Each structure stands twice: as C-alpha cells, then as structure tokens.
Amino acid sequence: MSEWRSSEAARGLALVGPTLLYAVAMLAVPLGAVLVYSFLTDGYLTIIPEFTLANYAEVFSDPIYRQVMARSLGVALAVTVATVVLAYPVAYFVAFHVRPERRSLWLFLITIPFWTSYLIRVFLWKVILGYNGVVNATLTGLGIIDEPLTFILYNVNAVVITLAHAYAPFAILPIFVALGKIDRTLLEAAQDLGESRLATFLRVTLPLSVPGVVAAVLIVFIPTVGDYVTPRLVGGPEGRMIANIIQLQYLRLDNYPLGSALAVTAMAIVTVIAVGFVLSLRRYLRVRQ
Amino acid sequence: MADPIIQLENVTKRFDDFEALKGVSADIREGEFFSLLGPSGCGKTTLLRTIAGFEAPTSGQVRIAGQDMAGVPPNRRPTNMVFQSYAIFPHLDVAGNVGFGLRRSPMSAAEKARAVDEALEMVGLAGYGRRAAHALSGGQRQRVALARALVLKPRVLLLDEPLSALDKKLREQMQGELRRLQRQVGITFILVTHDQEEALIMSDRIAVMFEGQIAQMANPEMLYRRPVSRRVAEFIGVMNFLPARVTASSPAGIEVEIAGLGRATLSGDSHAEAAPGEPPSVGIRPEMLTILFGNEPETGRVAEGEVREVVYYGDMTYYEIAIDGAPGTVTVSMRNLVNRPVLRRGERTRISWDERALILFR
Amino acid sequence: MKGRWLRAYTVLYLLFLYAPIALLPIFAFNDATIIAFPLGGFTGRWFVELGKVPALHDAALNSVFIAAMASVSATVLGMLAACASTRYEFPAKRPIMGFIMLPLVLPEIIVGVSLLVVILRAGLHLSHWSIIAGHILIVTPFSIAILSSAFASLDRSLEEAAIDLGETPWSTFRLVTLPLVMPGIISSLLIGFTISLDEFIIAFFLSGSEPTLPVYIFGQLRFPQKIPIIMALGTILVVLSILLLVTAEYFRRRGIRRAGGQDSGGFLG
Ligand SMILES: Nc1ncnc2c1ncn2[C@@H]1O[C@H](COP(=O)(O)OP(=O)(O)O)[C@@H](O)[C@H]1O
Ligand SMILES: [Mg+2]
C-alpha cells in the first residue's frame, strides 16, 4: 500500500485526468478561441485573420453597447441584492428553526421549482405580470386600481422580479450550508457573555455566515449578468441585456469577432467585480471553524 | 520454544517529513495475547497497519511465520484486522458481513453457512445472521467485526482499540470475553490500546511505545514492578518519586540517601533510567507505603508526615502525605478494613516502607 | 416567537417560489386560447392536441437522447473527479477542481458561444453531439457535487476491511465501493438528465436543424394560439421533473443512510 501512497499524487491525477482533459478541450480551448476571435477582423460571412482592436473600440465607444452593459450589471446587482436579502431569512429559518430530520424536506421543497422548465417559468411571469395577468386581474378585481398597471411588464422591473425568482434556491443553499456549519455553542457563549439575541446575530452569526453569502452572491450575480431568456421574454426593447446583444451578433448578424469582443468584455468586467468583491471580504472568508 | 509468529526487525515508517516509527524490533510469539500500549500518536496504529500490510515500512522487515512480508498485500497475509470503527459493511446483513471473506474459499455454500453460524455463536450472536448492519448496537458491531475476522482462521488477529468506543461497563465485560475468546481459539492477538489498565488486565505481554519506539516489552507484572524508565513507570499506574543521592555503588548494592526516607541500600538490579537531564530519584508505588494507624507496631523502616489530602474511593482511600524532609507529597493507598479509620486532613501519621520496594532512577 | 415570524415569512417565500408553477395546470385545463384572466371553462383538449404535433414528438425524442447521453457521460466523468478529489492529494488540486466546477457559475451563453465558435471553426456540423458536448460540461459539476458527498461519507476502513478479508482492489471496488455509492450515481444520473432536458441556451446555440424540446417550446412561444398547448406540455414536464427529483432525492438519502452517515441537507450542501 505504500506504493499506493507514494504514488498518491500520480493516482489522483490519473483519476481526475479524463474529466480535466474534457474541461480543457470543451471549455478552456473554446474560451481561448473566443478570445482570439475577439481580435480578428470581420468580413461579411467570413472572418479575416488580421489582428485588430476595432471590435473592442466599438464595444467601448458605441453608446448602445455601453448602455446595455451598464443595464446588465445594474439588473444583476439588483437581482443579487434582492435574492440574497430575501433568501437569508429563509436559510436562517431552515438552519436554526427546523428540526434536523426535517431540514432536507424543506430544502427539497425550496429546490423543486428551480428544476422545472426555466423557459416556461419565465413565460409564466409574463402571464402573472401581463396586461390581463394575475396581478392586474387581482388588483382590478379588488377595486384597488381602475386601469391595469403597465409598468410591471416589458421593462427592467419585470426582468429583476423574474430573475430574483429564478435564482432563489442558488442563494438559499450556500447560505444554509454556512449557517449550518456554525457551532451552536458559539451562539450560546455570546449570549452567556451578555449579548442580546440581535447582537449575537450581528456579532457572531452574520460574520460567520459571510462565506455562504459570498458564494450566494457570486452564484447569482455571474450567471444573471449573462442571462438571455428572461430579458428576451419579459424585458421588452428597453430591457435587453448583454446576452441578447451577443446572441444578435452571433446568430443574426454573423459578426463573430464583435460578438466575441462583447462576450470577453462582459466576462472581464464580471471577473473584476467578483474578484474585487471577494477580496474586500477576505477577512471574513479566512475564518476556520 | 517455537519460532515467533511475527518478527519485526528495525521497522521504520516515515510520512513525508514525520517519522512515525523509529526502528521497532520485536518478536511476537505464536498464541500469545500481545498488546501495543502507548499514548495517542505514538505510532501504535501505524505499527499495526504495517503488520497488516496497509502501510509498507520505510525500512526494516516484517516477517510473519518466517516469511518476509515485503510486497505482500493485505489480502495475501495470514492476518485479519478488527478496525477501530469496526468497518461493518452497511449494505450487507450480519451473515453477509461475517461471510464476506469466505467468498473465495473452496468451501461449499453449506459449509460456508455453517462456518458463519459457528463464528456468530463463538461471539455470542447466534441467530443474528439476518439482522441488518445498521440495526446493531456498538457492542454487537464489535462482535460482528470479531466474528468476521475469526471465521477466516487467521494466524494473527489485529485489533485497533476495539473497545474504546464502548461505555465503561460494556468495555469491562468485553475485556473478559476477548481474553476468553483468545484462549479458546489459540490465535495470536495483537491489541492496540492507550489504556494501561486494559493492557495489564488482558495481555500476556505488553510493548510500551513512546514516539515511535518501544520503550519496554515485558509481561504485565514485570512492567509494573520493574519499569525500565521513569517514563514507563509514570505511564503504568501511579508512582511516587523522591529526590535521591547515590553515596556508594558496588555490584552488591547501591547506597542512596533519599529525601524524607534517609539512607537505604538497593539491590543491584533495582535501578532504571531517569529522563535525560533529570536528577536521580527513587520511586515507590502507593501500595508499597503503609500508614501505621494508632500504635500499630512498626514492620520495616518508618517515616513521619502530615496528611494533606484524603480521597475516598469506597474500597480504598488515597492519601496525599507530606513526608517530613521531603519536597511535595507522596500518594499512599490503603485498603479500607473494618478496624481501620479514615484519617483527616492535617493529622500527623507514621508511614512504614521497605527497601525492596524502591527503584532508583538515574 | 421569533421562529414563528420566520416560519410565516418562509411560507410566504415558498408561495412566491411556487406561484408561476401553480398557474401551469390552471391554464393547461383552461378552455380559452388566450392566456389571461378571467378563465374560461375546464377542458382537456390541450392535452389531446399535444398528441397531434409530430414536430414536438421529434423534439422530445431529441431531448431524451441528448439528456441520456449527457447524464451518463457526466456521471462517469463526475465519478472519476469526485473520487480523485475526496481520496487523493495531488498537485494543483484546488485550481484543477475549481476549473472543472467553473461551468457552475459561468453564464451558459458563454459556454454556448465558445463551443459554437470551435465547432464551426473545426468544420464540424451542429448536431445532437454538439449539444451533448455542452451539456456534459454543465452537468459534470453537479455530478461531482453529488458524488463527492457520496464518496466522502464512505468510510475508508470499509474498503480496507474488504482487502484485509482477502479481496483484491478491483473486487473491493465492485463489492463494497460501488454498492455504497450507487445511490449517488443514480441521483447524479437523474439530476443530470433533468438539467439537460431543461437546458435552453446551449441547445439554442448548438442545435442544427433538429431542435430540443426547450428550443421547440421557445419557438412556439411566439405564436399566441400555441400557448395553451405549451401550458399542457409544461404541466407534464413539471410533473415529470418532480417525479425524477423525488426519485433522485430518495436515492440520495438512502445512500447516506446506507453509508451510516448523517443527512446534512440538500445535494448541493
Ligand atoms: N497517513 C499518515 N500521514 C501522515 N501522518 C500520519 C499518517 N498516519 C499517521 N500519521 C502520524 O503518525 C503518528 C502516529 O499515528 P498513529 O499510529 O495513528 O498513532 P496512535 O495509533 O498511536 O495514536 C501521528 O502523529 C500521526 O499524525
Ligand atoms: Mg490509533
């Protein structure tokens, strides 16, 4: 067995090898290709292998792209804040007020909607928020409003609501895991040392749950920036986001270099924001429990 | 005497930059109950796993029944193991667990079933074959692990702290049963434990280990009465140490001047190693010091002192006594008898002792 | 006291989560072509209509084939990686595992776009296989998460015991390891199947002339008169997904119980 142990590294690498190779071939190489494309010149229906920065120049100078990029980030930020803030109490409830043997049932209930057709769920929000939708029918039926509301569909608001709904479980699960890891005697110790429940929460529970919150923020923020379906179905023209523009460039206008430059730029901005966010909270992330 | 069943020759084991075994040599005899005793982290499990074949020695040799085991995997060794966690297969029932190792045996299905039943009966679980693994109590899991190993009739059974997960009552009961089982099957048992009492109760011989080395290997009585070092003496039972000075030394005996006890002459073989850098001292076990109540006549040498602490155990009373002229206190244990009072703190008392109970550590 | 407010909030939150899905059967059985209130009468005709659309059947078959291939491949890859990461220390372990898990946070459009670029660049045609390749990529991290917890809750001394009792490393894997992680494998297959079946963006970018079910549905959403049929289809899909998930959860829990472990929560935990 010592041969096993001394060659532990080799065995581990051999085992992870196929999966790693697959990820390299299907993810690293394609991402590299997108990066290369973003520096090439677009000829109509072909690509001219000439190095250029023109795509990036266009991405950064065209006000439409700038606006869409800003909107994507703004929507993602709003969705992230809304999702995480709304999800935290739910995670807290399941972690601290549900008997251990019932916890997985609650988590299961929370995750089920997430696994049902994304496309149809988004479309249903259109039904809920539409002119003759659930919200308007209810409000007019109750006599609260005379005319159906129109500011809740085909705009940024609708996108935020829909995305906050779609990513809810992604926010709840990591926070729940972080809360679950907190040693309960720490909380008792804080109260024993004279803190109120609220102060205990603020001084002990919240800081110790930061790793879960960070994971939740990243896991919600990054994919929402690049969401395509929601802005397309409920966003209307003024709700378009970066993924819609990228799709337009690739599949409609056949401008791969510009589409690639948009994708690379979006990824770069998101990466910078994510890394900055993590670094700003690294003090809390180093806590070992 | 027959050849030893297991011979360890200068076995070392290195994990990265940590040396878990630093040259262990030992012969373990066929049919004996052998214990590896030592504080946690001293390398007992590592040594046991080296014998089982789960670790290969960095240097040195392990021979089982005269054969060098280098390169022989665990499944080809005539040893079987009772794991600390018991490692009961959760997807198999009790009979499936006990019969696990018989899969490759040439026995017929009926013979295998009989072997399983016999093994279960031997550990007191007759009729439990169809029980699910997860429906077993701690003690029952331990018995299944034993039966599973014994059914293969190994030359050597290795047990890694098999009783440490059990509560005190059950542990004491299993200690007796393990001992009985070992006599019944006659197989060599090697038991790893950090509990000196357990080792003393169960073993024919004990190897005391510190930091990857065997400090002493002896039968329980020798280990208790003639520890080879102050460290072993402190690990096995309780021992009092009094500062001492050697005044004369000859093959016939050693003359010492002991704080609080005065002059004494020790026989030539009653001395052992002190810890490096420690000044010489004389050790004496608590039961070798006798309190003289009232006007009891003196039976040997006598010292005087004051009772500082009394700990009443029911059958015994332990006293901490400050002997006149000696630093600190010594522990004295006295059996509680009908006509024996229990002293109070602050009382003065006489203590009798005998030269033959002293061990010099230098 | 505090617990009661939290519970009330959580129940409200669950209502919010389930609100859209709750509408599905309402409109699926609603006897009106327009998806809006007030409702018409009760009808089962949309479900009948479902049976009369060959294009939908083809799309469903495409999706099932793709989901089966993707979930099986991802489970195999996930098992290798989960075993390596829970059992072995190797150089650059964290970055390697981080990279493999990256698709979990990467926007799917990026995966779709980048695969599209290389597939076309390599002169290949878009087919089921291009979608399968993309789906394997995004399903593998989920498989790894599920199977890692299966491997982690497996006591190593069980395998050592099997070897000690005379089995070889390979027969130990077959007799001990495999049965004990089997629930995790089944759970991974079902979750992978569900994810792939539902995935839209990658399939949208990489499907050639044969759409998957979500791509087909997306196309139909433009035609108002087709919506009730889609609602009926959605109802069936939701019921199917829930059945798959309940089964997956059942196996996940059984796996933890079997391995004698403690249930720590959801499979992502
Ligand atoms: N696989 C391993 N890798 C590194 N160090 C180990 C390994 N196994 C044991 N050790 C170290 O070797 C020492 C002895 O361990 P062990 O034999 O388990 O002690 P014991 O059973 O006496 O408590 C410990 O300090 C332990 O940390
Ligand atoms: Mg040990």
Side-chain angles (χ1 to χ4, degrees):
Chain A
M1 190 129 170
S2 100
E3 302 88 75
W4 299 15
R5 207 181 292 284
S6 64
S7 64
E8 185 180 309
R11 289 183 149 250
L13 283 173
L15 265 179
V16 81
T19 317
L20 177 62
L21 227 61
Y22 189 84
V24 167
M26 294 295 168
L27 188 62
V29 170
L31 288 178
V34 169
L35 187 64
V36 170
Y37 266 55
S38 69
F39 291 107
L40 299 183
T41 311
D42 180 51
Y44 183 65
L45 288 182
T46 60
I47 286 145
I48 305 163
E50 256 170 48
F51 179 86
T52 176
L53 290 173
N55 304 310
Y56 286 100
E58 192 172 344
V59 169
F60 284 102
S61 62
D62 190 325
I64 293 191
Y65 297 148
R66 292 225 307 256
Q67 193 196 359
V68 170
M69 195 74 83
R71 184 188 298 136
S72 300
L73 294 173
V75 165
L77 185 68
V79 169
T80 307
V81 171
T83 312
V84 172
V85 168
L86 290 175
Y88 198 102
V90 176
Y92 186 92
F93 170 74
V94 178
F96 287 102
H97 291 275
V98 172
R99 276 186 282 129
E101 64 275 16
R102 304 286 297 276
R103 272 183 210 143
S104 42
L105 179 67
W106 278 89
L107 291 176
F108 189 57
L109 281 178
I110 289 164
T111 30
I112 279 194
F114 162 75
W115 294 108
T116 55
S117 177
Y118 181 52
L119 215 49
I120 292 180
R121 255 184 304 147
V122 174
F123 178 79
L124 288 164
W125 276 104
K126 198 162 140 174
V127 176
I128 294 176
L129 302 171
Y131 192 80
N132 289 319
V134 180
V135 171
N136 280 327
T138 313
L139 292 180
T140 35
L142 293 173
I144 297 173
I145 51 172
D146 301 326
E147 286 288 302
L149 306 174
T150 51
F151 63 86
I152 51 174
L153 188 62
Y154 296 130
N155 57 27
V156 172
N157 298 338
V159 176
V160 172
I161 294 175
T162 308
L163 283 174
H165 177 264
Y167 282 89
F170 275 133
I172 293 174
L173 288 177
I175 299 175
F176 165 77
V177 170
L179 287 172
K181 280 188 192 151
I182 297 177
D183 181 353
R184 303 301 141 111
T185 55
L186 291 177
L187 309 183
E188 289 170 2
Q191 290 189 10
D192 182 63
L193 294 170
E195 288 295 15
S196 68
R197 294 181 103 182
L198 181 63
T200 301
F201 174 77
L202 293 176
R203 291 186 59 193
V204 182
T205 315
L206 192 58
L208 288 178
S209 66
V210 166
V213 173
V214 169
V217 165
L218 295 181
I219 227 169
V220 174
F221 181 78
I222 301 176
T224 37
V225 172
D227 193 81
Y228 172 84
V229 173
T230 301
R232 174 69 201 275
L233 289 183
V234 303
E238 49 149 325
R240 272 195 307 177
M241 285 170 48
I242 191 70
N244 307 99
I245 306 283
I246 293 174
Q247 186 264 344
L248 190 72
Q249 294 300 336
Y250 270 95
L251 298 189
R252 288 290 161 83
L253 305 179
D254 249 332
N255 190 342
Y256 281 25
L258 186 57
S260 299
L262 281 164
V264 170
T265 308
M267 285 309 295
I269 293 175
V270 167
T271 307
V272 167
I273 293 176
V275 170
F277 176 70
V278 170
L279 285 183
S280 72
L281 286 172
R282 69 182 180 284
R283 184 160 83 80
Y284 295 102
L285 296 176
R286 267 202 231 105
V287 179
R288 281 264 170 277
Q289 286 182 35
Chain B
M1 191 188 291
D3 275 345
I5 179 75
I6 290 182
Q7 291 165 290
L8 304 174
E9 244 169 58
N10 218 359
V11 173
T12 65
K13 178 67 192 179
R14 173 176 284 282
F15 294 115
D16 300 325
D17 51 357
F18 179 79
E19 205 166 17
L21 298 176
K22 302 172 185 164
V24 173
S25 298
D27 284 353
I28 297 168
R29 298 173 198 139
E30 180 102 56
E32 78 175 330
F33 198 122
F34 188 89
S35 290
L36 292 169
L37 171 66
S40 126
C42 71
K44 307 178 298 284
T45 298
T46 306
L47 184 57
L48 200 73
R49 290 169 59 85
T50 308
I51 295 170
F54 291 112
E55 312 283 357
T58 308
S59 70
Q61 206 182 46
V62 176
R63 276 198 300 278
I64 302 182
Q67 274 188 311
D68 183 4
M69 286 290 123
V72 180
N75 45 336
R76 300 266 173 69
R77 295 192 182 198
T79 59
N80 281 117
M81 182 120 154
V82 173
F83 289 81
Q84 187 164 9
S85 63
Y86 306 143
I88 304 297
F89 300 117
H91 58 305
L92 302 176
D93 61 11
V94 168
N97 267 281
V98 176
F100 191 91
L102 294 175
R103 190 174 74 95
R104 287 156 186 271
S105 125
M107 283 193 258
S108 72
E111 284 169 329
K112 288 180 187 174
R114 186 148 5 94
V116 168
D117 286 344
E118 277 170 16
L120 281 175
E121 193 168 335
M122 192 158 61
V123 298
L125 284 182
Y128 277 68
R130 298 266 76 86
R131 271 294 170 96
H134 59 78
L136 299 174
S137 69
Q140 290 169 336
R141 298 170 79 81
Q142 209 248 341
R143 288 161 197 263
V144 172
L146 264 173
R148 183 175 73 182
L150 287 175
V151 78
L152 299 180
K153 306 210 173 358
R155 302 285 301 268
V156 180
L157 184 71
L158 307 170
L159 305 107
D160 189 357
E161 311 234 5
L163 306 176
S164 63
L166 306 179
D167 62 43
K168 191 161 183 287
K169 269 266 152 54
L170 192 54
R171 190 163 64 229
E172 283 166 2
Q173 182 195 340
M174 286 307 297
Q175 284 168 352
E177 281 194 38
L178 265 183
R179 187 72 245 230
R180 175 187 60 74
L181 202 60
Q182 193 266 338
R183 292 221 174 91
Q184 183 188 333
V185 297
I187 292 172
T188 311
F189 276 34
I190 303 180
L191 172 86
V192 159
T193 180
H194 63 264
D195 180 345
Q196 47 104 11
E197 203 178 325
E198 182 168 296
L200 290 178
I201 293 171
M202 300 176 72
S203 322
D204 294 320
R205 278 195 313 148
I206 300 170
V208 180
M209 288 182 70
F210 294 120
E211 280 129 31
Q213 279 174 314
I214 294 182
Q216 184 170 8
M217 189 156 51
N219 66 38
E221 193 186 347
M222 280 304 286
L223 204 58
Y224 188 79
R225 292 175 47 154
R226 288 277 171 263
V228 296
S229 69
R230 179 157 174 174
R231 193 146 182 220
V232 172
E234 282 176 320
F235 192 72
I236 311 280
V238 180
M239 188 171 268
N240 296 301
F241 297 94
L242 292 165
R245 193 163 54 86
V246 178
T247 52
S249 181
S250 73
I254 308 166
E255 295 208 353
V256 287
E257 173 80 38
I258 309 163
L261 299 185
R263 290 186 163 279
T265 309
L266 307 188
S267 73
D269 64 345
S270 56
H271 67 92
E273 285 170 52
E278 281 272 319
S281 60
V282 154
I284 185 163
R285 298 276 183 198
E287 66 276 13
M288 295 295 168
L289 294 168
T290 310
I291 289 176
L292 298 174
F293 293 90
N295 298 326
E296 260 179 81
E298 302 169 4
T299 52
R301 309 270 310 265
V302 171
E304 293 203 4
E306 185 188 307
V307 176
R308 289 287 166 83
E309 192 58 79
V310 181
V311 183
Y312 182 75
Y313 272 85
D315 58 337
M316 305 283 285
T317 305
Y318 280 74
Y319 297 96
E320 294 294 325
I321 294 172
I323 294 181
D324 300 342
T329 60
V330 293
T331 306
V332 178
S333 64
M334 294 299 291
R335 181 157 292 284
N336 292 329
L337 302 177
V338 183
N339 53 352
R340 228 173 234 182
V342 173
L343 299 181
R344 298 180 181 286
R345 277 197 297 152
E347 275 187 69
R348 301 262 327 153
T349 183
R350 290 177 303 146
I351 298 164
S352 112
W353 56 280
D354 190 303
E355 281 182 350
R356 284 167 301 175
L358 300 181
I359 304 169
L360 173 64
F361 296 92
R362 66 165 177 183
Chain C
M1 221 27 244
K2 204 169 147 220
R4 204 180 304 165
W5 284 109
L6 274 173
R7 174 183 290 267
Y9 173 80
T10 304
V11 170
L12 272 179
Y13 193 91
L14 277 177
L15 285 181
F16 165 68
L17 283 187
Y18 279 86
I21 305 175
L23 291 176
L24 260 184
I26 296 180
F27 288 111
F29 290 106
N30 180 29
D31 195 3
T33 348
I34 302 163
I35 302 296
F37 288 97
L39 296 173
F42 179 89
T43 179
R45 73 178 153 121
W46 307 122
F47 288 90
V48 178
E49 301 251 329
L50 264 185
K52 301 177 189 160
V53 192
L56 188 153
H57 300 167
D58 292 344
L61 283 179
N62 293 341
S63 271
V64 166
F65 174 72
I66 289 168
M69 295 307 292
S71 61
V72 169
S73 316
T75 299
V76 171
L77 291 177
M79 208 154 107
L80 294 172
C83 186
S85 87
T86 50
R87 294 295 177 79
Y88 297 97
E89 285 307 319
F90 47 89
K93 180 172 169 178
R94 280 178 64 98
I96 287 177
M97 291 313 294
F99 176 63
I100 293 173
M101 300 300 273
L102 186 62
L104 211 53
V105 286
L106 212 57
E108 282 168 6
I109 191 164
I110 301 289
V111 176
V113 159
S114 58
L115 277 172
L116 180 69
V117 166
V118 281
I119 287 171
L120 294 186
R121 179 70 231 171
L124 301 171
H125 290 287
L126 294 175
S127 68
H128 288 349
W129 295 103
S130 39
I131 304 177
I132 291 169
H135 282 187
I136 292 175
L137 203 59
I138 60 161
V139 171
T140 301
F142 285 91
S143 293
I144 292 176
I146 295 168
L147 291 164
S148 288
S149 73
F151 274 107
S153 61
L154 178 67
D155 181 359
R156 285 215 76 171
S157 62
L158 291 174
E159 288 160 314
E160 289 186 347
I163 291 196
D164 186 65
L165 294 169
E167 298 295 343
T168 61
W170 166 244
S171 62
T172 296
F173 178 78
R174 193 164 57 78
L175 295 170
V176 177
T177 319
L178 204 57
L180 288 174
V181 296
M182 187 49 81
I185 293 174
I186 294 174
S187 173
S188 158
L189 286 173
L190 294 175
I191 296 277
F193 191 88
T194 315
I195 294 174
S196 169
L197 201 63
D198 186 36
E199 201 288 328
F200 167 68
I201 283 288
I202 294 175
F204 185 49
F205 271 78
L206 301 182
S207 61
S209 48
E210 299 172 281
T212 63
L213 201 51
V215 175
Y216 172 81
I217 293 174
F218 185 73
Q220 299 300 297
L221 291 178
R222 272 178 298 155
F223 309 113
Q225 72 276 19
K226 296 282 174 62
I227 304 290
I229 301 183
I230 297 299
M231 293 290 121
L233 176 60
T235 308
I236 292 173
L237 284 179
V238 166
V239 171
L240 275 181
S241 313
I242 291 178
L243 281 181
L244 280 178
L245 287 169
V246 170
T247 319
E249 174 71 7
Y250 169 78
F251 279 105
R252 190 190 68 83
R253 287 201 200 182
R254 198 169 85 165
I256 290 175
R257 247 207 334 277
R258 265 201 193 182
Q262 269 273 310
D263 195 349
S264 61
F267 56 86
L268 283 175

